[in-house]
Amino acid sequence: MNKIPMVDLNSQYARLKNEIDTAIQDVLDSSQFIGGDVVRQFEISLADYLGSKHVISCANGTDAIQIALMSLDLTRGDEVIIPSFNYISTAEVVALLGLTPVMIDVDEKHYNCTAKAIEEAITTKTKAIVPVHLFGQSSPMEEIMFIAKKHQLHVIEDNAQSIGANYHFENETTKKTGTIGHIGCTSFFPTKNLGCFGDGGAIMTDDEQLANKMRMIAKHGQKKKYHHDLVGCNSRLDAIQAAVLNVKLRHLESFIQKRQEAALRYDELLSDITSVNVPQGVSWSDHVYHQYTLHILNGHRDELQNHLASVGIASAVYYPLPLYKQPVFSDYQTVEHEHAEVLCKRVLSLPMHTEMTMDIQERIVGEIIAFFS
Ligand SMILES: *Cc1c(COP(=O)(O)O)cnc(C)c1O
């Protein structure tokens, strides 16, 4: 039997090969590998697609969050609120900058942080909140922005997993995730919903002053070449990656649609299995299914994963530990987070990508049904 991988970048490339190869060849012919028109064009197209005034490209999604935090004039010991059921990036850059990560629990159903948990964690030292839009749907940004305004806090959205998702406001207007907070960050790691052929990232903001400052920070703190005003870093998206992204951005809406169709098929195929909860939607956000993440109720998550592996089907645990249990944060003191603890033991993400077919999904779900019967 053929193995079923988590993602299928080969088939997607095969489908877009002509367009992508031409775009890369153009960069090779121009020999403009860093900066230049292709990179600028991508920033403009992404800003246009997202409805954001400014897009600053950078080297990866982790740098994007770091540069965003560096632009805010925070000082050592200032607190930044982040969810504990999460990838490492947010906690890592907060710690790296000498700031204090304050971890909060997430909602057990939608896996994202809640406004209530944020408000409970606010102290006189709190300066910023980094909501992470996990697996493809947004945190409750309208409530989060309300609290942030009340307490005068900066909000940086980690949108690495949810690019293209629409956020639905109470007044029935919509905005793309990553453009609601003061700053939004994203990653173009190859397996992300908008992925390049290496590393890449971007920062979004409507604030021109912040945009100028972040652009400087990403470029060694310089406004003018060889004149350095700030301590910055060196973080750039290269032209080959931008060329790939220019092509893929044109297809992002269809990529999202394919993921949503695959998710619907999974939902239907899995509907009779009582030990499995399929991903729960929320009223305020579309789901763009970066991951299709199950909640396994009967305590046999690891055995199910082993069974799937034994028949050649990949699956993944995002994430096995709450951030406060990672060895790097062993000094971090917190009471255990009830939901994060449960989710780390019970979540299982199934293969999800733009090339998914009914055949593949029937085989995967067939094995899940076989395991539970
Ligand atoms: C992928 C990811 C990042 C980091 O992106 P890189 O480009 O790998 O640095 C940050 N946050 C979340 C939630 C991610 O999924």
Side-chain angles (χ1 to χ4, degrees), residues 60-62 65 86-87 89 132 158 160-161 187 189 192 199-200 319:
N60 57 67
T62 308
I65 304 164
N86 182 4
Y87 188 56
S89 293
V132 179
D158 179 346
Q161 300 190 3
S187 162
F189 186 80
K192 298 279 152 95
D199 275 309
Y319 296 93

Side-chain angles (χ1 to χ4, degrees), residues 193-231:
N193 285 21
L194 178 62
C196 58
F197 288 180
D199 275 309
I203 311 162
M204 283 71 74
T205 188
D206 280 349
D207 183 322
E208 187 167 354
Q209 250 179 321
L210 277 181
N212 291 338
K213 191 165 175 194
M214 291 191 289
R215 223 175 252 292
M216 279 172 73
I217 291 169
K219 218 185 236 185
H220 298 293
Q222 72 183 19
K223 217 181 284 173
K224 196 171 135 200
K225 213 166 190 185
Y226 307 123
H227 292 75
H228 307 272
D229 302 320
L230 300 168
V231 173

Side-chain angles (χ1 to χ4, degrees), residues 132-147:
V132 179
H133 305 324
L134 211 61
F135 302 152
Q137 69 186 356
S138 182
S139 308
M141 286 304 294
E142 191 160 8
E143 288 174 67
I144 291 172
M145 294 312 290
F146 180 81
I147 289 169

